[in-house]
Amino acid sequence: MREERIRWVWRGYLEAGALVILEGDPSTGKSTIALDLAARLSRGESWPDGSRCRRRGSTLILSAEEKMAKIGRPRLRRMGAELDLIHDVPRLFRLPGDFVR
């Protein structure tokens, strides 16, 4: 099997085209981190560690908690995000109700 080279969006942290999950206790800043990264990528702005974002890109946000239209979009706007590059799925699933053990 041949190895594939990783294409990084943010070297060492975010792989291009990969699923990224932020998991943790409520009210610990997960949404703020996710929206900040999406806003930076949409503008092509440097990453939190100061490294250069090589190009602008899109983000697809799937959130089981936050309503993007009421909460996420206004926050992204205040962060200066290019909103046309940030997409969300309004209702994909609800935790834990949509999952059966």
Side-chain angles (χ1 to χ4, degrees), residues 36 60 74:
D36 175 67
L60 174 64

Side-chain angles (χ1 to χ4, degrees), residues 43-92:
R43 294 187 311 263
E45 185 180 299
S46 62
W47 297 110
D49 66 356
S51 62
R52 190 175 125 239
C53 179
R54 298 182 188 277
R55 64 180 180 164
R56 294 173 53 197
S58 321
T59 301
L60 174 64
I61 297 176
L62 300 149
S63 177
E65 298 175 9
E66 226 174 63
K67 292 185 179 179
M68 283 298 288
K70 286 177 108 176
I71 300 168
R73 290 249 170 226
R75 288 174 72 187
L76 286 162
R77 187 175 293 105
R78 286 191 301 273
M79 292 175 176
E82 296 290 334
L83 295 176
D84 58 324
L85 293 175
I86 300 175
H87 314 281
D88 66 290
V89 176
R91 167 63 168 94
L92 182 65

Side-chain angles (χ1 to χ4, degrees), residues 13-14 18-24 30 33-34 37 60 62 93 95:
Y13 296 98
L14 296 175
L19 172 66
V20 177
I21 298 173
L22 290 176
E23 185 275 331
K30 299 177 302 294
I33 291 168
L37 295 175
L60 174 64
L62 300 149
F93 58 86
L95 294 174

